[in-house]
């Protein structure tokens, strides 16, 4: 019996108000987190991971949105899910190693072994004979497809300096974001409480 109550998966579960009735699927969520067609179009043909980002109906009934299957907990009432929230796993460790090794030494055999282990599990062919720039892009693509909806992508885009371009590229699904994104959105705002504390310390060194 599930006794761990939380609403994490409710963000990903479809909301019945938005969708047709699909027999066998009780839509008890809010439908706040979904995949965009642009994101789904970036997968290579045959990538087994795409299925986990694209629950799109069943039994001939098509839903209006593409739901993230790996973050849903079917059959549970709202606010009651024991689904684990992914924080860190071995696939990310492999990708961190491959990225760092490529930046330091180029696409070495060790770098290829890590990224290809992930691709093999996804049903994709091994990478080989890439330049350093090509391998760098391959790692970025693998991080997108392996770790999406695990709270990694925003920070990846920030450190690569590509947040603005990525948001603008998805203008069809996110027109407001594409029109309004700016380079300063890559910065993390300083909490107002920290600014107040810093001002107090500057004006009164004895403040604590």
């Amino acid at each position: 019996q599930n006794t761990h109550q939380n609403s994490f998966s409710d963000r990903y579960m479809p909301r019945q108000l938005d969708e047709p009735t699909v027999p066998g699927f009780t839509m008890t969520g809010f439908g706040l987190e979904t995949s965009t067609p642009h994101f789904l179009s970036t997968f290579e043909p045959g990538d087994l991971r795409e299925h986990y980002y694209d629950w799109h109906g069943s039994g001939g009934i098509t839903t209006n949105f593409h739901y993230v299957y790996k973050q849903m907990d079917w059959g549970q009432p709202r606010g009651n899910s024991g689904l684990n929230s992914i924080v860190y796993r071995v696939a990310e460790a492999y990708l961190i190693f491959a990225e760092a090794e490529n930046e330091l030494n180029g696409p070495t055999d060790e770098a290829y072994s890590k990224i290809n282990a992930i691709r093999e599990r996804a049903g994709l062919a091994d990478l080989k004979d890439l330049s350093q720039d090509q391998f760098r892009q391959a790692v970025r693509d693998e991080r997108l497809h392996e770790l999406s909806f695990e709270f990694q992508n925003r920070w990846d885009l920030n450190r690569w300096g590509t947040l603005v371009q990525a948001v603008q590229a998805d203008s069809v699904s996110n027109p407001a974001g594409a029109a309004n994104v700016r380079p300063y959105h890559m910065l993390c705002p300083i909490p107002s409480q920290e600014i107040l504390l810093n001002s107090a310390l500057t004006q009164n060194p004895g403040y604590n």
Side-chain angles (χ1 to χ4, degrees):
Q1 182 179 359
N2 176 19
T3 58
H4 181 62
Q5 295 188 4
N6 68 70
S7 58
F8 171 76
S9 69
D10 294 343
R11 298 179 59 85
Y12 298 89
M13 285 284 291
R15 186 176 67 156
Q16 187 61 74
L17 180 64
D18 302 323
E19 301 295 351
T21 298
V22 180
F25 295 89
T26 303
M27 302 182 186
T28 58
F30 299 111
L32 298 175
E33 308 283 350
T34 61
S35 295
T36 66
H38 173 76
F39 166 60
L40 295 172
S41 73
T42 65
F43 283 86
E44 295 179 47
D47 192 327
L48 300 176
R49 295 169 295 193
E50 183 178 2
H51 162 74
Y52 294 96
Y53 299 106
D54 190 19
W55 187 82
H56 198 28
S58 180
I61 299 176
T62 301
T63 59
N64 296 315
F65 298 96
H66 302 261
Y67 296 95
V68 185
Y69 194 75
K70 71 176 181 178
Q71 298 285 33
M72 295 194 293
D73 193 6
W74 288 108
Q76 298 299 333
R78 184 173 293 174
N80 185 39
S81 170
L83 187 70
N84 289 330
S85 177
I86 300 168
V87 177
Y88 188 82
R89 54 193 178 89
V90 69
E92 186 183 1
Y94 278 23
L95 288 169
I96 288 172
F97 180 93
E99 183 176 0
E101 177 68 7
N102 182 59
E103 295 302 324
L104 289 172
N105 303 310
T108 63
D109 289 344
E110 288 183 301
Y112 275 116
S113 70
K114 296 299 186 291
I115 195 170
N116 284 336
I118 294 172
R119 289 177 60 83
E120 179 180 358
R121 189 193 60 181
L124 301 175
D126 285 353
L127 299 175
K128 60 182 179 179
D129 301 327
L130 301 180
S131 68
Q132 186 180 42
D133 286 343
Q134 289 172 328
F135 193 93
R136 180 182 296 120
Q137 185 59 52
V139 169
R140 294 181 181 186
D141 292 342
E142 289 302 314
R143 287 190 66 86
L144 175 66
H145 298 143
E146 182 70 25
L147 304 174
S148 279
F149 297 95
E150 296 179 27
F151 320 112
Q152 303 287 350
N153 193 44
R154 168 66 182 271
W155 307 112
D156 283 345
L157 296 174
N158 277 5
R159 66 190 178 86
W160 295 330
T162 59
L163 176 69
V164 174
Q165 300 95 305
V167 174
Q168 290 175 341
D170 202 12
S171 59
V172 173
S173 299
N174 185 16
N180 292 290
V181 66
R182 297 291 184 271
Y184 62 75
H185 288 133
M186 290 189 292
L187 304 176
C188 293
I190 300 173
S192 58
Q193 182 63 23
E194 296 300 322
I195 295 175
L196 291 173
L197 287 172
N198 188 61
S199 298
L201 288 170
T202 301
Q203 297 169 13
N204 181 10
Y207 177 86
N208 57 53

